[in-house]
Amino acid sequence: MTHAETLSAAGLSAAEITGGTLAVRSPIDGAVVAHVHETNPADMPAIIAKSQAAFRAWRTVPAPRRGELIRLLGEELRAAKAELGALVTLEAGKITSEGLGEVQEMIDICDFAVGLSRQIYGLTIASERPSHRMMETWHPMGPCGVISAFNFPVAVWSWNAALALVCGDPVIWKPSEKTPLTAIASMKIMERALARFGDAPEGLVQLVIGGPAIGEALVNSKDVPIISATGSTRMGGIVGPKVAARWGRPILELGGNNAMIVAPSADLDMAVRAIVFSAVGTAGQRCTSLRRLIAHNSIKDDLVAKLAKAYASLPIGDPRKAGTLIGPLVDSASRDRMLAQIAKARAEGGRVHGGEAVEAVAGGAYVSPALVEMPAQTDTVREETFAPILYVLGYETLDEAIALQNDVPQGLSSCIFTLNMREAETFLSAAGSDCGIANVNIGPSGAEIGGAFGGEKETGGGRESGSDAWKGYMRRQTNTINYGATLPLAQGVKFDF
Amino acid sequence: MTHAETLSAAGLSAAEITGGTLAVRSPIDGAVVAHVHETNPADMPAIIAKSQAAFRAWRTVPAPRRGELIRLLGEELRAAKAELGALVTLEAGKITSEGLGEVQEMIDICDFAVGLSRQIYGLTIASERPSHRMMETWHPMGPCGVISAFNFPVAVWSWNAALALVCGDPVIWKPSEKTPLTAIASMKIMERALARFGDAPEGLVQLVIGGPAIGEALVNSKDVPIISATGSTRMGGIVGPKVAARWGRPILELGGNNAMIVAPSADLDMAVRAIVFSAVGTAGQRCTSLRRLIAHNSIKDDLVAKLAKAYASLPIGDPRKAGTLIGPLVDSASRDRMLAQIAKARAEGGRVHGGEAVEAVAGGAYVSPALVEMPAQTDTVREETFAPILYVLGYETLDEAIALQNDVPQGLSSCIFTLNMREAETFLSAAGSDCGIANVNIGPSGAEIGGAFGGEKETGGGRESGSDAWKGYMRRQTNTINYGATLPLAQGVKFDF
Amino acid sequence: MTHAETLSAAGLSAAEITGGTLAVRSPIDGAVVAHVHETNPADMPAIIAKSQAAFRAWRTVPAPRRGELIRLLGEELRAAKAELGALVTLEAGKITSEGLGEVQEMIDICDFAVGLSRQIYGLTIASERPSHRMMETWHPMGPCGVISAFNFPVAVWSWNAALALVCGDPVIWKPSEKTPLTAIASMKIMERALARFGDAPEGLVQLVIGGPAIGEALVNSKDVPIISATGSTRMGGIVGPKVAARWGRPILELGGNNAMIVAPSADLDMAVRAIVFSAVGTAGQRCTSLRRLIAHNSIKDDLVAKLAKAYASLPIGDPRKAGTLIGPLVDSASRDRMLAQIAKARAEGGRVHGGEAVEAVAGGAYVSPALVEMPAQTDTVREETFAPILYVLGYETLDEAIALQNDVPQGLSSCIFTLNMREAETFLSAAGSDCGIANVNIGPSGAEIGGAFGGEKETGGGRESGSDAWKGYMRRQTNTINYGATLPLAQGVKFDF
Amino acid sequence: MTHAETLSAAGLSAAEITGGTLAVRSPIDGAVVAHVHETNPADMPAIIAKSQAAFRAWRTVPAPRRGELIRLLGEELRAAKAELGALVTLEAGKITSEGLGEVQEMIDICDFAVGLSRQIYGLTIASERPSHRMMETWHPMGPCGVISAFNFPVAVWSWNAALALVCGDPVIWKPSEKTPLTAIASMKIMERALARFGDAPEGLVQLVIGGPAIGEALVNSKDVPIISATGSTRMGGIVGPKVAARWGRPILELGGNNAMIVAPSADLDMAVRAIVFSAVGTAGQRCTSLRRLIAHNSIKDDLVAKLAKAYASLPIGDPRKAGTLIGPLVDSASRDRMLAQIAKARAEGGRVHGGEAVEAVAGGAYVSPALVEMPAQTDTVREETFAPILYVLGYETLDEAIALQNDVPQGLSSCIFTLNMREAETFLSAAGSDCGIANVNIGPSGAEIGGAFGGEKETGGGRESGSDAWKGYMRRQTNTINYGATLPLAQGVKFDF
């Protein structure tokens, strides 16, 4: 398929992809595939006002009815899965299976949110006073700004949108400037769902396209109480305090520097498979990509040898091609950063396998994935580089391995490969991994939507997706109702006049 | 009892109350009752390091065992209730019943936290992959800095400390500079519990006394991941973004501007009792004090007349005296602010009843509570003044009343008095009160510890006390465990090499 | 549409509806519309064994994958809604809107169960021992026998099947002998879902048709751990102890004798609408039908007059016809029982309005609904009659009204109409209604699937549908995992040798 | 201490222990230590009526206030721990540490229930209809009859009583005829708590002493909605259906036939310690005692040798003596049954180590614990014998071991010793142990009170103690509240007249 055919199959019209000021390039070959219209920053107040108006209507629509919108969205996504997946491949450079997997994640969260729409459970609580009833209810919060990154150009939006909409919150989406096309295509799918739904308020889901001025309008507006921002720690470190300063609620999903501990008892073949997928999948551009390998000294050399061999066998190239496992980096700047980091690591004593630019498709930024054996956990290792670099460290005791795992500023995902239950449990205990995600015998990436997704420290502390992450999109209210004819005070206080 | 006797009965030694740089005055008569030693800001790094060391030990102590410490604290508080309550009266100026009520609140949260210590429930979650298990566990987070205000000089600390300690987090407490004595006395009670407990790590609970430099050391330290701050919106507006900027977690309980709607069907006698208690109790210095009365036009005049009569009958004076219902403001600056606000309200058209300085006890800042009938919700009304001023507004429709209730920057507590279930339910619905607390037929203050306490907007969004507020003191971890011999990927992604 | 056309549209083949031993009549006109094949009781052991085999496979299928089957079932039900609804009308005599509503309920529970399939939340629990982890998980239980009644011929099965299948339990369905056709049609819809699903184990969902011998085979089999039986208290009183005696788990939804209290402040127009729908809807043959009206003496006569007038206006007749609100009773025996009960009530002093046989469609058992003003709550009133009889009682105080409401052997559903919040809350309090369902300002019938459905006393105590009713389909397991190298005992017990 | 001194120290008066018709023997030496007064069966209706009257008052006492009673009970139990523990030793024959551990369990459940008293969480639930609110509340149920067994003469009562009382249910306790003295002593402790509490209704907690006629009065009374019965499967098999037949709710904790699987990777020293404690502790008379050892063939002989050696070293004798680890069986009938079972096992091919009568203290039924290597899992092995017999079986594959574990009629407790995480997880999975309790690397006995306690199959299905076992003591009510002015029907049903 040509790029144009892919765009057309995904429902993008000529008017949508031409005449705009934002040039969109495909990482596959660096070709400009569209010029998209940007939102005028001056329009942001009206957009936010429309969202507020939609909120006032949407918050009183019964949640199961709101869920029906998401059910329809799920149906439309199922119908458009192949085309949207292909567009993800075109615009983000993911291999086909991963592009489809991303759409599947959208579908999964819709299913989850539909069920949630008949729950949104608060609590009834025993009151200490006679003829009093206590309860805690969860109410819609207001417009939710979603700032998403290029590497999950549509799934992250859907995680937020499915929950926010079921929770009664309108959505304003600012996608990465690198991936507006998948956003436009997703909005069209959403619009089909809205049309079938029938009576949703205008402005319930809006898309804004553009640069920092657009994002800042969301971040600084008191009328957008929730800002869910996914991206770099640098970005989040600016957004978080700004949102806090105007009494908003940030939901931050920022950088990870995810490690795997491989213990002596590990199933090494399984570990190799998990390492390769999580370190080089999406060309190392997942927030949960494996970036550090902490291997027991007794098996480290064997493991590196196996990995080096596996790495050498991985097909690099056009992500649309069957068989390709490593597609392009998002752009050449990304490739340059990768090569620079590798150079720094080498200067710090790192022994590098792979990690070179590859001429796969003209115009694309292709690289071979890097394995870098490090003498210690240096500052370079402590930094997140959004590319397929895997640093390898050795360890002697589990305590040492856990300390290495935790000794980075990020806290997203982590894992251990071991068949020893004492090691596995210790890793998951209060004295184990300090990350928001900690797995056993699976890699750090590829979370299911049923669990809460996010992490601690510089990862930002936000949670999205499953469990009770939905509470992040609502306000909690504690109610006490006195249905008696007297007025007893709590804590036995007396105040009679 | 003399002041000295009260101090002595509460266990304060001469060494503790003399020779220090911080002069402590009793609001009762303005007398300096102690000179307390302040923490040297230069010692803060060592104090925080000690807390971190305590954390590493405490986090692996089983939670039910941690609960035992809090059970012992509850026992010690029960034993010291009268003396600590009297000290609260001395140092914060509360009437006797309220001083005791505050200690009872400490006792209640201990009972709650002991039960919690055998729960700290996470979830097991269905995994989409065969031979996989998912769960979500809650782990201790690290040292918790507690910054508390003068008006609840001990209860707020206990809310935080009981939960934090059960959750595995050490506590560093910075009380208001106005109330270090109750803090010292509470620490001595805590130390008795620690001594009976036996093997808690050193530095598990620490007290730091002093001004902004002390607070900032906590707020800015990466090693104090949780900052629970109670006080003014101004303070919280500084603390929140600072904590966010260094990736900490703020729990903010800031200002309220709490309203009551009185509907035509309300039980007026009950309403009057509730209004008087919640507007003038603690001399209007509760964060949940009633500050705005939104009365239906049909009953407003009658209600104001009843209130004016009740207000005129309230005994003002020495809070230690039986019968006194209104004690002093915390200091003369507070009284001056009150009088200035009343003057502003009068200039905006307010009709003022009461609201004058009263000579009750020499040296104390006593006032008569003010009822201020306002022509509209002006900026003065929208501001929180920490004193017994109650602004009265009229309304015609419930929608109008709710709009008035919500049209302030704060979002802590609110209530409606009505016997009409449609009105009551509407007030509690998604389109009703926007506060964290919304009550029916009880005033805005006097929350039970079983519910989550806190509010939205400029109140800061934090939650303390009951429900799942404990999650604010822990980190959440999502775990997936693969116990099979294959490695299926989520979302059906394929990655075979 | 002719009966034959309705059967054909619902996908029933000639082979399925002819040649069998079980004659099926339509309540509409008493016509025999099919002769259905019955299950041979001798085949039951093999059927149960097949279910057990399916269980061993299905229990290890990941729950979200099991949910996918239910999602497909929901899709198929949506596609077949009109036809299955029409068949419900044909076989159970419901009016068109109710027939469709019943299918909608099936669809709703599917949506709910799909969401549940990614939850099935157990707990992680704080352990009192170091290096120990506790959790509680929910596991599939085994085959679930579903015994359903004629009046909800398909929805009750779907409530059970959707939950049971997501929970990992195969289903064996024994529908009422009066409604095998809707069961067969539902199974065909299920089979379409199974076919799309692909790899479900054979025998996962089975249908058995026939009389008591079939039911007893399920009730008495140790290999069917769960028996969910909906129907009469008489039936449940036999099933419950039998299942208990062989260590199975009964889920019983039996008779109701549902009341409405109408207070002086009630919105009478709304009450009249609610009463009429809940008393005469489905011709009074819902388990939640309103059977008793407890009206305040001050408004009772007015209310009865309004009801009598409304009753007189209700179109009785062919349920397929637009406009019809009261269709036929299920058969003439049912009509005879109704008339006999009315005669008894009259003999006890009842003043009867309506309650007569009506010649609407030849061959059908049509009646006009009865309002019966009773001097007291007699034994006749205490009995459930499955027909549109509404007994009317007066009351003076709310306590008296609640006592009347509770003074029947059944405990399913109840409600109050009042605008007074004190009355509403009292009715819902621990001292209020003793039923499993208690509503305010809506009738006793028409539950949403999000709540748990069922009741106390002779209603049997079972719960189906929403909330955590799913736990009834699973076994709970408490796990303690010791990952340390020592063996501390709980409760501090010492046992050293 | 003499027996008389122990009785006196536990607060039993001469009037309480003399002159009655029920002779109480100490298992220590078979001496009759008291003649206790039995409840006259003719008094049971009045006792139950008193409980019902107490219920009507207690159910409206706020739950946190009810919790205060249990907090006081916990305090009194702490004060009386040594004396009550000694009485447990005297009357049930437990060694001192176990007697104290049993009282500690009472204390623990009190702490848990106090916390629960401010929770008793129901749910608020999203409604599908506008201006509707849904919630689910839990209400007190009514009197709870507690039938307890000799082997946990006081803890089982406290588990039930602490929860039932906090949940608003009065308690009527029928202890084992073998252990009325500990029951009387516990009631006196309870009465001290009641006296301090102040205003509990009369008859809130009652004790009835006697034989089957007393138990049957409880089991058959409609006014005792909950029967919690702990004891033999034979007893439960009678009680369960009877309670079901009169629409009551049974909570059954019956027999166990608990197994441990010891895998090749197990820490054998730890396993030996766990086996010895759980097989011979309480002389094998716990419901969770280890009765079956399923050891991998590769380590079985080694394990048996180690156990035989350990068994030979265990001090058997007077349970009051420091150092004693095996006290007496409850009576000689019990010893005779043990010896008979061993003989049967030998006849089936069992190789027996130990298992002989021992002359330790004259008059007591002392035995040496038995290890019985069996060629297969025979019917004798499938039976629960309440004595220290441990059957040993070998296995080759984990599937085989799990099948052996599950192939008994009981389903209480189970465990695996392994360091292999795949084995551990498989054992805990849906395809693993079918018991209510499944542990890893700890024995089957000694549960913490934080988890739900109970089991499946002939164990009876009941749950007590932690998690949400409290729901078994309450009735659930689903509420829908319409606060709008229209009456929409669920599932979109239309019914306009």
Side-chain angles (χ1 to χ4, degrees), chain A residues 71 78 119 133 425, chain C residues 71 78 119 133 422 425:
Chain A
R71 196 190 63 78
R78 280 180 167 90
Q119 303 185 327
R133 181 169 62 79
E425 296 284 347
Chain C
R71 197 188 64 78
R78 279 179 168 91
Q119 303 183 326
R133 182 169 64 79
R422 285 178 180 164
E425 295 284 348

Side-chain angles (χ1 to χ4, degrees), chain A residues 68 71 78 108 111-112 114-115 118-119 121 133 421-422 425-426 429 449-450 467 481-485, chain C residues 68 71 78 108 111-112 114-115 118-119 121 133 421-422 425-426 429 449-450 467 481-485:
Chain A
E68 175 66 6
R71 196 190 63 78
R78 280 180 167 90
D108 289 350
D111 287 354
F112 181 86
V114 171
R118 288 190 180 270
Q119 303 185 327
Y121 293 144
R133 181 169 62 79
M421 65 79 68
R422 285 178 178 163
E425 296 284 347
T426 300
S429 77
I449 62 92
S467 183
I481 292 97
N482 175 9
Y483 58 95
Chain C
E68 174 65 6
R71 197 188 64 78
R78 279 179 168 91
D108 290 349
D111 287 355
F112 181 87
V114 171
R118 287 190 180 269
Q119 303 183 326
Y121 293 145
R133 182 169 64 79
M421 65 78 68
R422 285 178 180 164
E425 295 284 348
T426 300
S429 77
I449 61 91
S467 182
I481 293 96
N482 175 8
Y483 58 94

Side-chain angles (χ1 to χ4, degrees), chain C residues 70-287:
Chain C
I70 300 305
R71 197 188 64 78
L72 294 169
L73 176 60
E75 278 194 5
E76 295 296 333
L77 284 166
R78 279 179 168 91
K81 182 174 175 180
E83 294 75 15
L84 184 58
L87 191 64
V88 168
T89 293
L90 173 69
E91 195 177 39
K94 296 191 176 191
I95 64 172
T96 299
S97 172
E98 290 179 342
L100 293 171
E102 178 158 0
V103 183
Q104 187 59 46
E105 208 162 320
M106 303 173 84
I107 293 167
D108 290 349
I109 195 71
C110 288
D111 287 355
F112 181 87
V114 171
L116 175 65
S117 76
R118 287 190 180 269
Q119 303 183 326
I120 310 199
Y121 293 145
L123 297 174
T124 65
I125 303 175
S127 168
E128 74 190 47
R129 286 173 280 191
S131 299
H132 280 57
R133 182 169 64 79
M134 277 179 78
M135 67 178 174
E136 169 175 287
T137 47
W138 292 88
H139 287 314
M141 184 83 185
C144 172
V146 179
I147 298 173
S148 62
F150 81 88
N151 64 327
F152 276 91
V154 289
V156 165
W157 166 72
S158 72
W159 291 358
N160 282 282
L163 293 191
L165 289 168
V166 157
C167 289
D169 301 334
V171 172
I172 307 175
W173 181 14
K174 187 211 156 303
S176 164
E177 293 172 75
K178 291 178 182 159
T179 54
L181 297 174
T182 42
I184 294 171
S186 297
M187 274 299 287
K188 296 186 85 150
I189 292 169
M190 183 83 226
E191 273 152 26
R192 289 202 288 274
L194 284 162
R196 288 173 61 193
F197 181 77
D199 57 353
E202 210 200 342
L204 183 62
V205 190
Q206 297 181 83
L207 176 65
V208 292
I209 291 176
I214 298 298
E216 275 185 28
L218 292 174
V219 166
N220 292 327
S221 170
K222 279 212 164 212
D223 284 330
V224 185
I226 307 164
I227 295 291
S228 175
T230 303
S232 68
T233 289
R234 197 194 55 77
M235 176 275 289
I238 297 166
V239 166
K242 278 192 182 174
V243 173
R246 51 94 168 161
W247 309 106
R249 186 190 293 173
I251 301 176
L252 302 178
E253 305 287 345
L254 311 173
N257 194 348
N258 318 293
M260 179 191 292
I261 296 171
V262 184
S265 69
D267 178 331
L268 276 198
D269 285 343
M270 193 189 256
V272 167
R273 287 193 60 216
I275 292 164
V276 172
F277 169 67
S278 52
V280 316
T282 322
Q285 297 172 111
R286 291 182 168 221
C287 44

Side-chain angles (χ1 to χ4, degrees), chain D residues 154-174:
Chain D
V154 288
V156 165
W157 167 74
S158 73
W159 292 358
N160 282 282
L163 292 190
L165 289 168
V166 156
C167 289
D169 301 334
V171 171
I172 306 174
W173 180 15
K174 187 211 158 301

Side-chain angles (χ1 to χ4, degrees), chain D residues 237-404:
Chain D
I238 296 166
V239 166
K242 279 192 181 174
V243 174
R246 51 94 170 163
W247 308 107
R249 186 189 294 172
I251 301 176
L252 302 178
E253 304 287 347
L254 311 173
N257 195 346
N258 318 293
M260 178 191 293
I261 296 171
V262 184
S265 69
D267 179 329
L268 275 198
D269 285 343
M270 193 189 259
V272 166
R273 287 193 58 217
I275 292 163
V276 172
F277 169 67
S278 51
V280 316
T282 322
Q285 297 171 113
R286 294 182 166 220
C287 45
T288 54
S289 286
L290 181 66
R291 309 210 175 283
R292 297 180 295 140
L293 184 63
I294 303 170
H296 192 264
N297 290 332
S298 65
I299 50 112
K300 190 180 138 212
D301 290 346
D302 184 20
L303 185 59
V304 169
K306 284 186 152 107
L307 285 171
K309 193 172 155 210
Y311 267 43
S313 78
L314 298 170
I316 303 169
D318 189 324
R320 298 169 297 184
K321 251 179 51 188
T324 297
L325 290 178
I326 305 184
L329 290 175
V330 68
D331 56 22
S332 56
S334 189
R335 182 186 53 204
D336 296 347
R337 268 192 303 274
M338 173 180 172
L339 299 178
Q341 285 298 103
I342 290 173
K344 272 171 63 181
R346 188 177 276 124
E348 289 167 356
R351 198 166 145 243
V352 182
H353 312 248
E356 287 163 1
V358 170
E359 291 303 318
V361 181
Y366 294 82
V367 293
S368 62
L371 269 178
V372 186
E373 295 179 83
M374 292 296 290
Q377 188 155 273
T378 63
D379 283 352
T380 302
V381 177
R382 285 200 184 82
E383 244 176 84
E384 179 192 34
T385 304
F386 228 56
I389 307 175
L390 180 62
Y391 300 105
V392 184
L393 299 161
Y395 80 89
E396 204 54 44
T397 68
L398 182 60
D399 282 354
E400 189 190 342
I402 290 173
L404 278 169

